[in-house]
Amino acid sequence: MHDFTGQSVLVTGAAAGIGFGIAEAFHQAGARVALGDVDERGLAAAAERLGRSSRIFTQTVDVRDAASVGTLFRAAESAIGPPAIAVANAGIYPNCPVVEMSVDEWDRVMETNLRGVFLTCQAAARGMVARGGGKIITIASGAASSGRKGAAHYCASKAGVVMFTKVLAMELGPHHVNVNCIAPGLVTVDRDVTQVSDEYVKTLVGTIPWGRAGTPADIARAALFLASPEADFITGDVMAVDGGSGTGRTYLPYSRTT
Ligand code: NAD
């Protein structure tokens, strides 16, 4: 694993779940880490879990709001130095059929998952372009390329994240800023923010070739790789970290009759 000592990393949605796992992994790898999240109490608990380390900085942020994202980046820069690595992870995944969906719910998902990624990446990119390099990682989902009921807003937002990532990678290549996307499959998290039913989890796990759900650490290892010099020539990529769930119709049995 690459040693990130001396580097500053910023992660949104870092109070819980995958974002916390990514922040924790970078911290363990020696980095200084800024954790941004809308959940103030969650951030305090996250800092506690990381042992109140001097290499940790926390700041509340609502990724839907440009001013709030600007404040996060400025505060992080003063506290731990300009982020050389930024992970746009904050996201929500409520579930509702289209015919019942409120406009508010549609907007909340698009604003958090897509506008939030745009604002986070834009703030990160501006600093990195000025400094001549950096690494940006977005978090999409298998839902970007595979639909599921109740997730029209979520799937649309994550498909948007994938295309946003590719275009940004094109624009930032000449500035030596890598922009890549991780598309996790099902990942076990505390689910304090977005609830999912046991039946959904059980059914989905049954279709994962690897035979288990992912963990935040699985996603974090991919993030550390993409942020490392080993991945310098990888940009605009969408890396599935999903135990094989994105390979195809994994629910089908063999068709042979004998
Ligand atoms: P989570 O609910 O455990 O954590 C999300 C964090 O984001 C929370 O701490 C929450 O407070 C924060 N957040 C929500 N809205 C915010 C906002 N407006 N501004 C700042 N922070 C905000 O979720 P998770 O499962 O860890 O998901 C993290 C990312 O991974 C999301 O983008 C999600 O879509 C994606 N993802 C998750 C899974 C999964 O199975 N868990 C699978 C694929 C993709």
Side-chain angles (χ1 to χ4, degrees):
M1 195 60 76
H2 183 71
D3 181 358
F4 287 89
T5 302
Q7 286 194 274
S8 296
V9 182
L10 183 148
V11 185
T12 66
I18 293 172
F20 177 79
I22 292 172
E24 182 180 41
F26 274 113
H27 180 250
Q28 279 167 358
R32 296 188 295 271
V33 188
L35 293 82
D37 202 290
V38 77
D39 177 0
E40 193 172 358
R41 287 208 334 218
L43 276 179
E48 196 74 40
R49 283 172 74 187
L50 294 172
R52 295 172 179 274
S53 161
S54 60
R55 288 186 287 111
I56 291 296
F57 169 73
T58 62
Q59 169 79 36
T60 53
V61 65
D62 186 338
V63 295
R64 297 172 294 179
D65 180 61
S68 179
V69 172
T71 302
L72 168 67
F73 274 81
R74 279 191 300 279
E77 182 164 344
S78 318
I80 60 163
I85 298 156
V87 185
N89 162 79
I92 54 172
Y93 37 92
N95 192 262
C96 184
V98 170
V99 292
E100 294 169 25
M101 193 181 292
S102 68
V103 175
D104 277 355
E105 180 168 314
W106 172 271
D107 286 346
R108 199 160 51 86
V109 171
M110 297 306 281
E111 286 172 10
T112 308
N113 297 4
L114 191 50
R115 179 187 164 103
V117 166
F118 156 63
L119 292 172
T120 304
C121 293
Q122 184 185 55
R126 285 177 172 160
M128 289 175 189
V129 166
R131 292 188 296 276
K135 308 269 188 192
I136 295 176
I137 298 166
T138 59
I139 304 295
S141 165
S145 54
S146 176
R148 65 181 163 85
K149 289 188 279 192
H153 44 10
Y154 183 68
C155 294
S157 73
K158 293 299 187 179
V161 168
V162 165
M163 285 315 297
F164 174 81
T165 305
K166 289 177 188 245
V167 174
L168 189 62
M170 256 184 228
E171 293 178 359
L172 298 189
H175 301 280
H176 290 171
V177 177
N178 300 73
V179 190
N180 289 295
C181 179
I182 297 173
L186 178 68
V187 176
T188 304
V189 296
D190 288 340
R191 312 254 175 237
D192 289 343
V193 179
T194 306
Q195 306 287 324
V196 295
S197 73
D198 291 344
E199 189 196 353
Y200 170 78
V201 171
K202 194 169 160 226
T203 308
L204 190 46
V205 169
T207 68
I208 300 173
W210 206 257
R212 66 164 174 85
T215 64
D218 289 320
I219 309 306
R221 277 189 288 275
L224 263 64
F225 167 67
L226 289 173
S228 75
E230 282 74 32
D232 272 354
F233 200 55
I234 301 174
T235 197
D237 191 40
V238 182
M239 182 187 280
V241 184
D242 64 359
S245 0
T247 47
R249 289 179 281 173
T250 59
Y251 52 86
L252 287 176
Y254 286 102
S255 63
R256 64 187 175 190
T257 53
T258 53

